[in-house]
Amino acid sequence: MVTLVVAISAMDVKKNLNNRTYKLLIIVFAVVIMGFSVAPVCNYFRSHTRDHTKDYGKLYQTGQIALHHGDIYRKGKGDTFQFMYPPTAALILASLSAFGLLPFIVIIVLANSAAWVASVLLSIYLTTGKVLRQHSLLYLIPTACCAPYIWDIYHLGQPNLLLLACMLGAFTCLQLKKEWCAGALIAFAAAIKAFPILSIVYFLYRRQWKAVLSTLAFLCFLLVLLPAPFRGFQRNLQDLKTWNE
């Protein structure tokens, strides 16, 4: 009887320690996210010029050009394009830039924060089959190792965290036998920045034919059909041609 009581007490102590560890990790993670999110906003208040807002300013300017039906693939110094993402990305930026530069920065920061949380949880799920109550080091070590790289994403205003979340979500959908959803997520990521389309090679290798068809179908919709009402069908095709060059 005494042994049973001691065993139960030890389990309760271990459970309480685990609960405290998880709460501490959540608090630390929230503080880090807040710290990373403050820097781009502070840069905005330092100066409204494009140089101080890093890529946020460049993306905002592209969004404004697309919003006013201008040429999104304009050349700058050195005869290089100022915007190198697909036309669909410019359409998304146009919708965000309609609110002004500061809301534009805040929206992207919030999107990066949500994508970071999703990436951590999806990585844990793909590794263990569960999202919560796993060993604390599984949450801590990968996040800590990636923190400097993620800081650059927040500081500069890059979409790579969102792409990572989409790709991890796609592989999670494959595990759950939702191949059409997996293809849609890869297509969405590729419509923002081209390189996630390489995942289709993995789909072909694994003979995930529904995922392949879904990727191609949604990519066609996102690149060709979705921007057409806003940019015009012929102009969007010209944008796609310029982007491919």
Side-chain angles (χ1 to χ4, degrees), residues 167 170-171 186 195-205 212 215:
M167 295 185 70
F171 294 130
I186 293 298
F195 72 85
I197 195 61
L198 295 175
S199 300
I200 202 170
V201 177
Y202 175 78
F203 294 161
L204 290 169
Y205 174 74
V212 173
T215 302

Side-chain angles (χ1 to χ4, degrees), residues 62-80:
T62 299
Q64 283 287 295
I65 292 172
L67 186 64
H68 295 91
H69 307 286
D71 184 10
I72 58 178
Y73 294 108
R74 64 202 184 282
K75 291 186 178 180
K77 296 179 180 179
D79 202 36
T80 57

Side-chain angles (χ1 to χ4, degrees), residues 113-128:
S113 299
W116 192 6
V117 173
S119 296
V120 172
L121 297 179
L122 289 171
S123 298
I124 297 297
Y125 179 83
L126 289 170
T127 304
T128 66

Side-chain angles (χ1 to χ4, degrees), residues 163-221:
L163 304 184
L164 175 61
C166 288
M167 295 185 70
L168 290 172
F171 294 130
T172 300
C173 288
L174 285 182
Q175 283 196 0
L176 298 174
K177 308 298 182 183
K178 297 181 179 180
E179 297 180 33
W180 285 98
C181 293
L185 286 171
I186 293 298
F188 177 73
I192 296 175
K193 199 171 183 178
F195 72 85
I197 195 61
L198 295 175
S199 300
I200 202 170
V201 177
Y202 175 78
F203 294 161
L204 290 169
Y205 174 74
R206 294 296 301 270
R207 298 182 180 180
Q208 303 282 355
W209 309 122
K210 291 181 181 179
V212 173
L213 291 175
S214 175
T215 302
L216 295 176
F218 277 101
L219 193 61
C220 180
F221 170 75

Side-chain angles (χ1 to χ4, degrees), residues 145-154 160-161:
C145 291
C146 294
Y149 173 69
I150 294 174
W151 160 253
D152 284 340
I153 292 176
Y154 273 87
N160 296 349
L161 264 177

Side-chain angles (χ1 to χ4, degrees), residues 43-63:
N43 287 338
Y44 167 83
F45 285 108
R46 282 176 57 199
S47 173
H48 293 188
T49 63
R50 191 176 64 184
D51 292 337
H52 281 93
T53 53
K54 306 298 179 182
D55 286 351
Y56 291 99
K58 297 177 183 179
L59 296 175
Y60 174 78
Q61 185 177 6
T62 299

